[in-house]
Amino acid sequence: MKKIFAILGLVFVIITVCMIYLVRKGVSLRSEPLIKPTVISADHRNIASHTVLRLFPDLQTTHYVLWGVLPEANDTQLLMTYFLEEYYKQFQTPAHIIQDGTKATAEEIAKCEKPCWIKLPHNLANTLTANEFISGKIEPTQKPYITITVMPFNGDEEVSDFCNQEQRLTLECVTPVTVREIHRKMKDPTQLYFFLRKYNERDLFLFVQKELPKNGQ
């Protein structure tokens, strides 16, 4: 019996040492899949409907949604319109929109009622790195938030040496690394796809394919 406890104790020590090493050394952390690669409908509306349904519990409890969509192209504006419509359909309440969070004061943001959707540039709508907007204007409110960044891709992105060597995902590397990971799941090369991934518990990345790969794969 003593030998068994000794062996178990040794195993736990080894596991602990390995965990400490990995945390200090750093590991390649993958994002969590929330919506698998899905063919985009002709009107693109299924992107919004699928996402709102998948995030229903998060959207129900979250005060702020930080949208990484600026500067907005026409297709992104249309997508946001769909999101507003789908949100209202599910929750029977309209979202309060701050069109450009970089121009809003901390007071305006603090007074924005739930659900408060704030549009931001991509680099300010995630916590992959230190984020002064979030630390300065969102966290002081002590209200729950999530980030959703719309990430366009073509499907033929190459992963740079820099991204291959990264031990943690960065905004620069999220798209090529993640697209490479799910590339084989986009089975029909004649269709456009979207999918949703989660990273760091509250950072959501909505990947939307803009055009077919030039290499036809």
Side-chain angles (χ1 to χ4, degrees):
M1 206 57 184
K2 290 183 179 179
K3 289 183 178 180
I4 294 176
F5 284 125
I7 293 173
L8 289 175
L10 180 61
V11 170
F12 284 127
V13 169
I14 293 173
I15 292 174
T16 301
V17 171
C18 290
M19 291 298 293
I20 292 173
Y21 172 79
L22 290 174
V23 169
R24 290 181 176 177
K25 180 67 177 177
V27 294
S28 296
L29 298 178
R30 288 186 175 186
S31 52
E32 176 188 352
L34 296 185
I35 296 178
K36 66 181 181 180
T38 303
V39 173
I40 299 174
S41 61
D43 61 2
H44 286 212
R45 186 179 286 275
N46 70 329
I47 299 174
S49 61
H50 281 53
T51 303
V52 170
L53 285 174
R54 181 63 181 84
L55 298 180
F56 190 96
D58 300 271
L59 294 173
Q60 191 173 39
T61 58
T62 295
H63 188 99
Y64 295 106
V65 180
L66 310 183
W67 288 91
V69 293
L70 298 182
E72 280 187 294
N74 291 336
D75 57 346
T76 309
Q77 289 179 335
L78 180 61
L79 184 59
M80 289 303 297
T81 298
Y82 289 156
F83 269 111
L84 288 168
E85 293 173 355
E86 290 296 330
Y87 184 90
Y88 186 82
K89 182 188 300 183
Q90 294 298 325
F91 295 96
Q92 297 301 303
T93 185
H96 303 92
I97 304 292
I98 294 180
Q99 294 293 342
D100 188 344
T102 63
K103 297 178 180 178
T105 65
E107 183 179 6
E108 290 172 333
I109 291 173
K111 289 182 177 179
C112 184
E113 297 180 6
K114 176 185 177 181
C116 181
W117 290 11
I118 305 175
K119 296 180 182 181
L120 291 165
H122 285 194
N123 65 310
L124 294 181
N126 66 82
T127 58
L128 296 182
T129 56
N131 188 318
E132 293 184 1
F133 177 84
I134 291 176
S135 62
K137 295 183 177 180
I138 301 298
E139 290 178 348
T141 68
Q142 297 184 331
K143 296 173 182 176
Y145 72 92
I146 60 173
T147 73
I148 304 176
T149 305
V150 178
M151 307 291 281
F153 73 97
N154 295 330
D156 55 3
E157 287 81 0
E158 294 185 2
V159 181
S160 66
D161 291 338
F162 170 78
C163 291
N164 273 323
Q165 295 170 8
E166 279 291 274
Q167 295 173 332
R168 291 180 63 86
L169 284 181
T170 61
L171 188 62
E172 175 186 346
C173 298
V174 164
T175 298
V177 169
T178 308
V179 171
R180 177 179 63 182
E181 182 182 336
I182 60 87
H183 182 73
R184 292 182 179 178
K185 296 180 180 179
M186 298 189 294
K187 299 184 181 299
D188 188 345
T190 67
Q191 298 286 348
L192 298 177
Y193 287 81
F194 76 94
F195 58 96
L196 182 69
R197 310 286 289 218
K198 186 178 187 180
Y199 191 76
N200 280 351
E201 297 303 319
R202 60 164 53 95
D203 289 329
L204 299 155
F205 296 96
L206 177 60
F207 295 87
V208 180
Q209 191 173 10
K210 296 299 182 181
E211 58 184 59
L212 298 175
K214 295 181 176 61
N215 58 18
Q217 298 179 355

Short mmCIF file of all heavy atoms in Angstrom, two decimals, residues 118-183:
data_model
loop_
_atom_site.label_atom_id
_atom_site.label_comp_id
_atom_site.label_asym_id
_atom_site.label_seq_id
_atom_site.Cartn_x
_atom_site.Cartn_y
_atom_site.Cartn_z
N ILE A 118 -20.01 47.55 -28.77
CA ILE A 118 -19.04 48.59 -29.08
C ILE A 118 -18.19 48.15 -30.26
O ILE A 118 -17.52 47.12 -30.21
CB ILE A 118 -18.13 48.87 -27.86
CG1 ILE A 118 -18.99 49.23 -26.63
CG2 ILE A 118 -17.15 50.00 -28.18
CD1 ILE A 118 -18.18 49.39 -25.35
N LYS A 119 -18.20 48.94 -31.32
CA LYS A 119 -17.39 48.64 -32.50
C LYS A 119 -15.98 49.18 -32.31
O LYS A 119 -15.80 50.32 -31.88
CB LYS A 119 -18.03 49.23 -33.75
CG LYS A 119 -19.39 48.64 -34.10
CD LYS A 119 -19.96 49.28 -35.36
CE LYS A 119 -21.34 48.74 -35.70
NZ LYS A 119 -21.89 49.34 -36.94
N LEU A 120 -15.01 48.36 -32.66
CA LEU A 120 -13.61 48.70 -32.44
C LEU A 120 -12.75 48.19 -33.59
O LEU A 120 -13.15 47.28 -34.32
CB LEU A 120 -13.11 48.06 -31.14
CG LEU A 120 -13.67 48.58 -29.82
CD1 LEU A 120 -13.35 47.61 -28.70
CD2 LEU A 120 -13.11 49.97 -29.51
N PRO A 121 -11.54 48.75 -33.73
CA PRO A 121 -10.57 48.15 -34.65
C PRO A 121 -10.18 46.76 -34.15
O PRO A 121 -10.29 46.46 -32.96
CB PRO A 121 -9.37 49.11 -34.58
CG PRO A 121 -9.94 50.40 -34.06
CD PRO A 121 -11.05 50.01 -33.14
N HIS A 122 -9.71 45.92 -35.03
CA HIS A 122 -9.37 44.55 -34.67
C HIS A 122 -8.41 44.46 -33.49
O HIS A 122 -8.56 43.61 -32.62
CB HIS A 122 -8.76 43.83 -35.88
CG HIS A 122 -9.78 43.45 -36.91
ND1 HIS A 122 -9.51 42.57 -37.94
CD2 HIS A 122 -11.07 43.82 -37.09
CE1 HIS A 122 -10.59 42.42 -38.69
NE2 HIS A 122 -11.55 43.17 -38.20
N ASN A 123 -7.42 45.32 -33.48
CA ASN A 123 -6.39 45.20 -32.44
C ASN A 123 -6.88 45.58 -31.05
O ASN A 123 -6.21 45.28 -30.05
CB ASN A 123 -5.17 46.06 -32.80
CG ASN A 123 -5.50 47.55 -32.82
OD1 ASN A 123 -6.47 47.97 -33.45
ND2 ASN A 123 -4.70 48.35 -32.15
N LEU A 124 -8.06 46.22 -30.96
CA LEU A 124 -8.58 46.62 -29.66
C LEU A 124 -9.72 45.72 -29.18
O LEU A 124 -10.27 45.94 -28.10
CB LEU A 124 -9.06 48.08 -29.70
CG LEU A 124 -7.99 49.14 -29.93
CD1 LEU A 124 -8.62 50.53 -29.93
CD2 LEU A 124 -6.89 49.05 -28.86
N ALA A 125 -10.08 44.72 -29.97
CA ALA A 125 -11.22 43.86 -29.62
C ALA A 125 -10.77 42.46 -29.22
O ALA A 125 -11.40 41.46 -29.58
CB ALA A 125 -12.20 43.79 -30.79
N ASN A 126 -9.68 42.38 -28.48
CA ASN A 126 -9.24 41.08 -27.97
C ASN A 126 -8.27 41.31 -26.82
O ASN A 126 -7.78 42.43 -26.61
CB ASN A 126 -8.57 40.25 -29.07
CG ASN A 126 -7.28 40.87 -29.54
OD1 ASN A 126 -6.23 40.70 -28.90
ND2 ASN A 126 -7.31 41.60 -30.65
N THR A 127 -7.99 40.25 -26.08
CA THR A 127 -7.06 40.33 -24.97
C THR A 127 -5.84 39.43 -25.20
O THR A 127 -5.22 38.95 -24.25
CB THR A 127 -7.74 39.94 -23.65
OG1 THR A 127 -8.26 38.60 -23.75
CG2 THR A 127 -8.89 40.88 -23.32
N LEU A 128 -5.52 39.21 -26.47
CA LEU A 128 -4.34 38.40 -26.78
C LEU A 128 -3.07 39.07 -26.26
O LEU A 128 -2.11 38.41 -25.89
CB LEU A 128 -4.24 38.17 -28.29
CG LEU A 128 -5.38 37.37 -28.94
CD1 LEU A 128 -5.11 37.20 -30.42
CD2 LEU A 128 -5.56 36.03 -28.26
N THR A 129 -3.08 40.40 -26.27
CA THR A 129 -1.98 41.18 -25.71
C THR A 129 -2.59 42.27 -24.83
O THR A 129 -3.81 42.43 -24.78
CB THR A 129 -1.12 41.83 -26.82
OG1 THR A 129 -1.98 42.63 -27.67
CG2 THR A 129 -0.45 40.76 -27.67
N ALA A 130 -1.75 43.02 -24.15
CA ALA A 130 -2.23 44.10 -23.29
C ALA A 130 -3.11 45.04 -24.10
O ALA A 130 -2.76 45.44 -25.21
CB ALA A 130 -1.05 44.85 -22.70
N ASN A 131 -4.25 45.39 -23.56
CA ASN A 131 -5.24 46.19 -24.28
C ASN A 131 -5.66 47.37 -23.41
O ASN A 131 -6.40 47.21 -22.44
CB ASN A 131 -6.45 45.31 -24.63
CG ASN A 131 -7.43 46.01 -25.56
OD1 ASN A 131 -7.74 47.18 -25.39
ND2 ASN A 131 -7.96 45.27 -26.52
N GLU A 132 -5.17 48.56 -23.76
CA GLU A 132 -5.44 49.74 -22.95
C GLU A 132 -6.91 50.14 -22.98
O GLU A 132 -7.42 50.68 -22.00
CB GLU A 132 -4.57 50.91 -23.43
CG GLU A 132 -3.08 50.71 -23.18
CD GLU A 132 -2.26 51.91 -23.58
OE1 GLU A 132 -2.86 52.92 -24.04
OE2 GLU A 132 -1.03 51.86 -23.42
N PHE A 133 -7.60 49.88 -24.09
CA PHE A 133 -9.02 50.23 -24.15
C PHE A 133 -9.80 49.40 -23.14
O PHE A 133 -10.61 49.94 -22.38
CB PHE A 133 -9.57 49.98 -25.55
CG PHE A 133 -11.05 50.24 -25.66
CD1 PHE A 133 -11.53 51.52 -25.88
CD2 PHE A 133 -11.97 49.20 -25.51
CE1 PHE A 133 -12.89 51.77 -25.96
CE2 PHE A 133 -13.33 49.44 -25.59
CZ PHE A 133 -13.80 50.73 -25.80
N ILE A 134 -9.55 48.10 -23.11
CA ILE A 134 -10.27 47.23 -22.19
C ILE A 134 -9.89 47.52 -20.74
O ILE A 134 -10.76 47.64 -19.87
CB ILE A 134 -10.01 45.75 -22.54
CG1 ILE A 134 -10.69 45.41 -23.88
CG2 ILE A 134 -10.51 44.83 -21.43
CD1 ILE A 134 -10.43 44.00 -24.37
N SER A 135 -8.59 47.65 -20.49
CA SER A 135 -8.15 47.90 -19.11
C SER A 135 -8.57 49.28 -18.61
O SER A 135 -8.81 49.47 -17.42
CB SER A 135 -6.63 47.76 -19.01
OG SER A 135 -5.97 48.72 -19.83
N GLY A 136 -8.69 50.24 -19.53
CA GLY A 136 -9.00 51.61 -19.12
C GLY A 136 -10.48 51.95 -19.11
O GLY A 136 -10.93 52.78 -18.30
N LYS A 137 -11.28 51.29 -20.00
CA LYS A 137 -12.69 51.70 -20.13
C LYS A 137 -13.71 50.59 -19.88
O LYS A 137 -14.87 50.88 -19.62
CB LYS A 137 -12.91 52.29 -21.53
CG LYS A 137 -12.15 53.58 -21.77
CD LYS A 137 -12.46 54.17 -23.13
CE LYS A 137 -11.74 55.50 -23.33
NZ LYS A 137 -12.03 56.10 -24.66
N ILE A 138 -13.29 49.35 -19.98
CA ILE A 138 -14.23 48.24 -19.78
C ILE A 138 -14.08 47.62 -18.40
O ILE A 138 -15.06 47.51 -17.64
CB ILE A 138 -14.06 47.17 -20.87
CG1 ILE A 138 -14.30 47.77 -22.27
CG2 ILE A 138 -15.02 46.01 -20.63
CD1 ILE A 138 -15.69 48.33 -22.48
N GLU A 139 -12.89 47.22 -18.05
CA GLU A 139 -12.68 46.55 -16.77
C GLU A 139 -13.07 47.40 -15.57
O GLU A 139 -13.59 46.85 -14.58
CB GLU A 139 -11.23 46.07 -16.67
CG GLU A 139 -10.93 44.93 -17.63
CD GLU A 139 -9.49 44.47 -17.58
OE1 GLU A 139 -8.66 45.18 -16.96
OE2 GLU A 139 -9.19 43.40 -18.15
N PRO A 140 -12.85 48.74 -15.59
CA PRO A 140 -13.26 49.54 -14.42
C PRO A 140 -14.77 49.50 -14.15
O PRO A 140 -15.20 49.75 -13.02
CB PRO A 140 -12.82 50.96 -14.81
CG PRO A 140 -11.65 50.75 -15.72
CD PRO A 140 -12.03 49.54 -16.52
N THR A 141 -15.58 49.16 -15.15
CA THR A 141 -17.02 49.08 -14.93
C THR A 141 -17.41 47.83 -14.14
O THR A 141 -18.51 47.75 -13.59
CB THR A 141 -17.79 49.05 -16.27
OG1 THR A 141 -17.53 47.81 -16.94
CG2 THR A 141 -17.40 50.22 -17.15
N GLN A 142 -16.50 46.85 -14.12
CA GLN A 142 -16.72 45.58 -13.42
C GLN A 142 -17.95 44.84 -13.96
O GLN A 142 -18.63 44.11 -13.23
CB GLN A 142 -16.84 45.80 -11.91
CG GLN A 142 -15.58 46.36 -11.29
CD GLN A 142 -15.67 46.48 -9.78
OE1 GLN A 142 -16.75 46.65 -9.22
NE2 GLN A 142 -14.54 46.38 -9.11
N LYS A 143 -18.21 45.05 -15.24
CA LYS A 143 -19.33 44.37 -15.90
C LYS A 143 -18.78 43.35 -16.88
O LYS A 143 -17.74 43.58 -17.50
CB LYS A 143 -20.21 45.39 -16.62
CG LYS A 143 -20.89 46.38 -15.67
CD LYS A 143 -21.62 47.47 -16.43
CE LYS A 143 -22.24 48.48 -15.46
NZ LYS A 143 -22.88 49.61 -16.19
N PRO A 144 -19.45 42.22 -17.05
CA PRO A 144 -18.95 41.15 -17.92
C PRO A 144 -18.91 41.58 -19.39
O PRO A 144 -19.75 42.35 -19.85
CB PRO A 144 -19.95 40.00 -17.72
CG PRO A 144 -21.19 40.67 -17.24
CD PRO A 144 -20.75 41.85 -16.43
N TYR A 145 -17.90 41.10 -20.08
CA TYR A 145 -17.75 41.42 -21.50
C TYR A 145 -17.16 40.24 -22.25
O TYR A 145 -16.53 39.36 -21.68
CB TYR A 145 -16.87 42.65 -21.68
CG TYR A 145 -15.39 42.41 -21.39
CD1 TYR A 145 -14.52 42.04 -22.41
CD2 TYR A 145 -14.89 42.54 -20.10
CE1 TYR A 145 -13.17 41.81 -22.15
CE2 TYR A 145 -13.55 42.31 -19.83
CZ TYR A 145 -12.70 41.94 -20.86
OH TYR A 145 -11.37 41.70 -20.59
N ILE A 146 -17.42 40.23 -23.55
CA ILE A 146 -16.75 39.32 -24.46
C ILE A 146 -16.31 40.11 -25.68
O ILE A 146 -16.77 41.25 -25.89
CB ILE A 146 -17.67 38.15 -24.91
CG1 ILE A 146 -18.91 38.68 -25.63
CG2 ILE A 146 -18.03 37.26 -23.75
CD1 ILE A 146 -19.78 37.58 -26.24
N THR A 147 -15.41 39.55 -26.44
CA THR A 147 -14.98 40.20 -27.67
C THR A 147 -15.29 39.27 -28.84
O THR A 147 -15.17 38.04 -28.73
CB THR A 147 -13.46 40.51 -27.66
OG1 THR A 147 -12.72 39.28 -27.81
CG2 THR A 147 -13.04 41.17 -26.36
N ILE A 148 -15.71 39.87 -29.94
CA ILE A 148 -15.96 39.11 -31.17
C ILE A 148 -15.28 39.85 -32.31
O ILE A 148 -15.68 40.96 -32.67
CB ILE A 148 -17.46 38.96 -31.48
CG1 ILE A 148 -18.21 38.32 -30.31
CG2 ILE A 148 -17.67 38.14 -32.76
CD1 ILE A 148 -19.71 38.23 -30.51
N THR A 149 -14.26 39.26 -32.87
CA THR A 149 -13.53 39.89 -33.96
C THR A 149 -13.81 39.15 -35.26
O THR A 149 -13.66 37.93 -35.33
CB THR A 149 -12.01 39.88 -33.69
OG1 THR A 149 -11.76 40.50 -32.42
CG2 THR A 149 -11.27 40.67 -34.76
N VAL A 150 -14.26 39.89 -36.25
CA VAL A 150 -14.53 39.30 -37.57
C VAL A 150 -13.22 39.22 -38.34
O VAL A 150 -12.58 40.24 -38.61
CB VAL A 150 -15.57 40.14 -38.35
CG1 VAL A 150 -15.80 39.53 -39.73
CG2 VAL A 150 -16.89 40.22 -37.57
N MET A 151 -12.83 38.00 -38.67
CA MET A 151 -11.53 37.75 -39.31
C MET A 151 -11.74 37.26 -40.74
O MET A 151 -12.09 36.10 -40.96
CB MET A 151 -10.75 36.71 -38.51
CG MET A 151 -10.61 37.02 -37.03
SD MET A 151 -9.55 38.44 -36.71
CE MET A 151 -7.94 37.68 -36.88
N PRO A 152 -11.54 38.11 -41.74
CA PRO A 152 -11.67 37.66 -43.13
C PRO A 152 -10.49 36.77 -43.52
O PRO A 152 -9.37 36.95 -43.05
CB PRO A 152 -11.67 38.97 -43.91
CG PRO A 152 -10.91 39.92 -43.05
CD PRO A 152 -11.21 39.54 -41.65
N PHE A 153 -10.77 35.79 -44.38
CA PHE A 153 -9.68 34.95 -44.87
C PHE A 153 -10.04 34.43 -46.26
O PHE A 153 -11.19 34.48 -46.68
CB PHE A 153 -9.41 33.78 -43.92
CG PHE A 153 -10.45 32.69 -43.94
CD1 PHE A 153 -10.27 31.54 -44.71
CD2 PHE A 153 -11.61 32.80 -43.20
CE1 PHE A 153 -11.22 30.53 -44.74
CE2 PHE A 153 -12.57 31.79 -43.22
CZ PHE A 153 -12.37 30.66 -43.99
N ASN A 154 -9.02 33.97 -46.99
CA ASN A 154 -9.23 33.43 -48.33
C ASN A 154 -9.14 31.91 -48.36
O ASN A 154 -9.76 31.26 -49.20
CB ASN A 154 -8.22 34.02 -49.31
CG ASN A 154 -8.40 35.51 -49.49
OD1 ASN A 154 -9.51 36.03 -49.38
ND2 ASN A 154 -7.30 36.22 -49.74
N GLY A 155 -8.34 31.35 -47.48
CA GLY A 155 -8.18 29.91 -47.44
C GLY A 155 -6.84 29.43 -47.94
O GLY A 155 -6.51 28.25 -47.82
N ASP A 156 -6.05 30.35 -48.48
CA ASP A 156 -4.72 29.95 -48.96
C ASP A 156 -3.62 30.73 -48.23
O ASP A 156 -2.52 30.89 -48.74
CB ASP A 156 -4.60 30.16 -50.47
CG ASP A 156 -4.94 31.59 -50.89
OD1 ASP A 156 -5.21 32.44 -50.01
OD2 ASP A 156 -4.94 31.87 -52.10
N GLU A 157 -3.94 31.21 -47.01
CA GLU A 157 -2.95 31.94 -46.23
C GLU A 157 -1.77 31.05 -45.86
O GLU A 157 -1.95 29.87 -45.52
CB GLU A 157 -3.57 32.50 -44.93
CG GLU A 157 -4.52 33.67 -45.14
CD GLU A 157 -5.91 33.26 -45.57
OE1 GLU A 157 -6.15 32.04 -45.72
OE2 GLU A 157 -6.76 34.13 -45.76
N GLU A 158 -0.58 31.59 -45.93
CA GLU A 158 0.62 30.85 -45.55
C GLU A 158 1.01 31.22 -44.12
O GLU A 158 0.90 32.38 -43.72
CB GLU A 158 1.78 31.17 -46.51
CG GLU A 158 1.55 30.67 -47.93
CD GLU A 158 2.77 30.89 -48.82
OE1 GLU A 158 3.79 31.40 -48.29
OE2 GLU A 158 2.70 30.55 -50.00
N VAL A 159 1.45 30.23 -43.36
CA VAL A 159 1.89 30.47 -41.99
C VAL A 159 3.36 30.85 -42.02
O VAL A 159 4.20 30.07 -42.48
CB VAL A 159 1.67 29.22 -41.12
CG1 VAL A 159 2.11 29.48 -39.69
CG2 VAL A 159 0.20 28.81 -41.15
N SER A 160 3.67 32.03 -41.56
CA SER A 160 5.04 32.52 -41.59
C SER A 160 5.91 31.79 -40.56
O SER A 160 5.40 31.14 -39.64
CB SER A 160 5.07 34.02 -41.30
OG SER A 160 4.65 34.27 -39.96
N ASP A 161 7.22 31.92 -40.72
CA ASP A 161 8.14 31.34 -39.74
C ASP A 161 7.89 31.93 -38.36
O ASP A 161 7.97 31.24 -37.34
CB ASP A 161 9.59 31.58 -40.17
CG ASP A 161 9.96 30.78 -41.40
OD1 ASP A 161 9.29 29.75 -41.67
OD2 ASP A 161 10.92 31.17 -42.10
N PHE A 162 7.59 33.23 -38.34
CA PHE A 162 7.32 33.90 -37.07
C PHE A 162 6.15 33.24 -36.35
O PHE A 162 6.22 32.95 -35.16
CB PHE A 162 7.02 35.39 -37.32
CG PHE A 162 6.50 36.11 -36.11
CD1 PHE A 162 7.37 36.53 -35.11
CD2 PHE A 162 5.14 36.37 -35.96
CE1 PHE A 162 6.89 37.18 -33.99
CE2 PHE A 162 4.66 37.03 -34.85
CZ PHE A 162 5.53 37.45 -33.86
N CYS A 163 5.06 32.99 -37.09
CA CYS A 163 3.88 32.38 -36.47
C CYS A 163 4.14 30.94 -36.06
O CYS A 163 3.63 30.47 -35.04
CB CYS A 163 2.69 32.44 -37.43
SG CYS A 163 2.05 34.11 -37.72
N ASN A 164 4.95 30.23 -36.83
CA ASN A 164 5.29 28.86 -36.47
C ASN A 164 6.09 28.80 -35.17
O ASN A 164 6.00 27.83 -34.42
CB ASN A 164 6.11 28.20 -37.59
CG ASN A 164 5.23 27.56 -38.64
OD1 ASN A 164 4.19 26.99 -38.33
ND2 ASN A 164 5.64 27.65 -39.90
N GLN A 165 6.85 29.83 -34.91
CA GLN A 165 7.70 29.86 -33.72
C GLN A 165 7.01 30.47 -32.51
O GLN A 165 7.53 30.38 -31.40
CB GLN A 165 8.99 30.63 -34.04
CG GLN A 165 9.86 29.96 -35.08
CD GLN A 165 11.00 30.83 -35.56
OE1 GLN A 165 11.23 31.91 -35.01
NE2 GLN A 165 11.70 30.39 -36.58
N GLU A 166 5.85 31.10 -32.73
CA GLU A 166 5.13 31.72 -31.62
C GLU A 166 4.67 30.66 -30.63
O GLU A 166 4.21 29.60 -31.01
CB GLU A 166 3.91 32.49 -32.12
CG GLU A 166 4.23 33.87 -32.65
CD GLU A 166 4.67 34.81 -31.54
OE1 GLU A 166 3.80 35.43 -30.89
OE2 GLU A 166 5.88 34.93 -31.32
N GLN A 167 4.80 30.97 -29.34
CA GLN A 167 4.37 30.04 -28.30
C GLN A 167 2.95 30.36 -27.82
O GLN A 167 2.32 29.56 -27.14
CB GLN A 167 5.34 30.07 -27.13
CG GLN A 167 6.72 29.55 -27.52
CD GLN A 167 7.74 29.73 -26.40
OE1 GLN A 167 7.62 30.64 -25.59
NE2 GLN A 167 8.73 28.87 -26.38
N ARG A 168 2.46 31.53 -28.19
CA ARG A 168 1.07 31.89 -27.92
C ARG A 168 0.51 32.56 -29.17
O ARG A 168 1.24 33.21 -29.91
CB ARG A 168 0.96 32.87 -26.74
CG ARG A 168 1.30 32.24 -25.40
CD ARG A 168 1.17 33.26 -24.28
NE ARG A 168 -0.20 33.74 -24.15
CZ ARG A 168 -1.12 33.13 -23.42
NH1 ARG A 168 -0.82 32.01 -22.77
NH2 ARG A 168 -2.34 33.60 -23.32
N LEU A 169 -0.78 32.39 -29.40
CA LEU A 169 -1.40 33.02 -30.56
C LEU A 169 -1.37 34.53 -30.42
O LEU A 169 -1.61 35.08 -29.36
CB LEU A 169 -2.85 32.55 -30.71
CG LEU A 169 -3.08 31.15 -31.27
CD1 LEU A 169 -4.57 30.87 -31.36
CD2 LEU A 169 -2.45 31.00 -32.64
N THR A 170 -1.06 35.20 -31.51
CA THR A 170 -1.15 36.65 -31.57
C THR A 170 -2.16 37.00 -32.66
O THR A 170 -2.53 36.16 -33.48
CB THR A 170 0.22 37.26 -31.93
OG1 THR A 170 0.62 36.77 -33.22
CG2 THR A 170 1.27 36.89 -30.90
N LEU A 171 -2.60 38.25 -32.66
CA LEU A 171 -3.59 38.65 -33.65
C LEU A 171 -3.05 38.44 -35.06
O LEU A 171 -3.78 38.05 -35.97
CB LEU A 171 -3.97 40.12 -33.45
CG LEU A 171 -5.15 40.62 -34.29
CD1 LEU A 171 -6.42 39.86 -33.96
CD2 LEU A 171 -5.36 42.12 -34.07
N GLU A 172 -1.76 38.67 -35.24
CA GLU A 172 -1.13 38.49 -36.54
C GLU A 172 -1.18 37.04 -37.00
O GLU A 172 -1.31 36.75 -38.19
CB GLU A 172 0.33 38.97 -36.48
CG GLU A 172 1.13 38.72 -37.74
CD GLU A 172 2.60 39.07 -37.58
OE1 GLU A 172 2.95 39.75 -36.59
OE2 GLU A 172 3.40 38.68 -38.45
N CYS A 173 -1.12 36.12 -36.05
CA CYS A 173 -1.00 34.70 -36.40
C CYS A 173 -2.31 33.93 -36.29
O CYS A 173 -2.38 32.78 -36.77
CB CYS A 173 0.05 34.04 -35.50
SG CYS A 173 1.71 34.73 -35.68
N VAL A 174 -3.32 34.51 -35.68
CA VAL A 174 -4.57 33.78 -35.46
C VAL A 174 -5.13 33.23 -36.76
O VAL A 174 -5.48 32.05 -36.85
CB VAL A 174 -5.61 34.67 -34.76
CG1 VAL A 174 -7.00 34.06 -34.89
CG2 VAL A 174 -5.27 34.83 -33.29
N THR A 175 -5.24 34.07 -37.79
CA THR A 175 -5.89 33.64 -39.03
C THR A 175 -5.11 32.54 -39.75
O THR A 175 -5.67 31.47 -40.01
CB THR A 175 -6.13 34.82 -39.97
OG1 THR A 175 -7.03 35.74 -39.33
CG2 THR A 175 -6.76 34.36 -41.28
N PRO A 176 -3.84 32.74 -40.09
CA PRO A 176 -3.15 31.67 -40.83
C PRO A 176 -3.03 30.37 -40.04
O PRO A 176 -3.18 29.28 -40.61
CB PRO A 176 -1.76 32.27 -41.13
CG PRO A 176 -1.60 33.38 -40.15
CD PRO A 176 -2.96 33.92 -39.90
N VAL A 177 -2.77 30.46 -38.74
CA VAL A 177 -2.61 29.25 -37.92
C VAL A 177 -3.94 28.49 -37.82
O VAL A 177 -3.99 27.27 -37.98
CB VAL A 177 -2.09 29.60 -36.52
CG1 VAL A 177 -2.18 28.38 -35.59
CG2 VAL A 177 -0.64 30.08 -36.60
N THR A 178 -5.03 29.21 -37.59
CA THR A 178 -6.32 28.55 -37.42
C THR A 178 -6.85 28.00 -38.74
O THR A 178 -7.41 26.90 -38.78
CB THR A 178 -7.35 29.54 -36.81
OG1 THR A 178 -6.81 30.13 -35.64
CG2 THR A 178 -8.64 28.82 -36.47
N VAL A 179 -6.68 28.76 -39.82
CA VAL A 179 -7.13 28.27 -41.13
C VAL A 179 -6.37 27.01 -41.52
O VAL A 179 -6.95 26.06 -42.06
CB VAL A 179 -6.98 29.37 -42.21
CG1 VAL A 179 -7.24 28.80 -43.60
CG2 VAL A 179 -7.94 30.52 -41.93
N ARG A 180 -5.09 26.99 -41.23
CA ARG A 180 -4.31 25.78 -41.52
C ARG A 180 -4.84 24.59 -40.72
O ARG A 180 -4.93 23.47 -41.23
CB ARG A 180 -2.83 26.00 -41.17
CG ARG A 180 -1.97 24.76 -41.37
CD ARG A 180 -0.51 25.03 -41.05
NE ARG A 180 -0.30 25.37 -39.66
CZ ARG A 180 0.89 25.68 -39.14
NH1 ARG A 180 1.96 25.72 -39.93
NH2 ARG A 180 1.02 25.98 -37.86
N GLU A 181 -5.26 24.85 -39.49
CA GLU A 181 -5.74 23.79 -38.61
C GLU A 181 -7.03 23.16 -39.13
O GLU A 181 -7.23 21.95 -39.00
CB GLU A 181 -5.97 24.36 -37.21
CG GLU A 181 -6.42 23.34 -36.19
CD GLU A 181 -6.68 23.99 -34.83
OE1 GLU A 181 -6.10 25.06 -34.56
OE2 GLU A 181 -7.47 23.42 -34.07
N ILE A 182 -7.92 23.98 -39.71
CA ILE A 182 -9.23 23.46 -40.11
C ILE A 182 -9.36 23.30 -41.63
O ILE A 182 -10.44 22.97 -42.12
CB ILE A 182 -10.37 24.36 -39.58
CG1 ILE A 182 -10.24 25.80 -40.12
CG2 ILE A 182 -10.39 24.40 -38.08
CD1 ILE A 182 -10.88 26.06 -41.45
N HIS A 183 -8.29 23.53 -42.36
CA HIS A 183 -8.35 23.57 -43.82
C HIS A 183 -9.05 22.34 -44.41
O HIS A 183 -9.88 22.45 -45.31
CB HIS A 183 -6.94 23.69 -44.39
CG HIS A 183 -6.91 23.78 -45.89
ND1 HIS A 183 -7.31 24.89 -46.58
CD2 HIS A 183 -6.55 22.86 -46.83
CE1 HIS A 183 -7.19 24.67 -47.88
NE2 HIS A 183 -6.73 23.45 -48.06
#
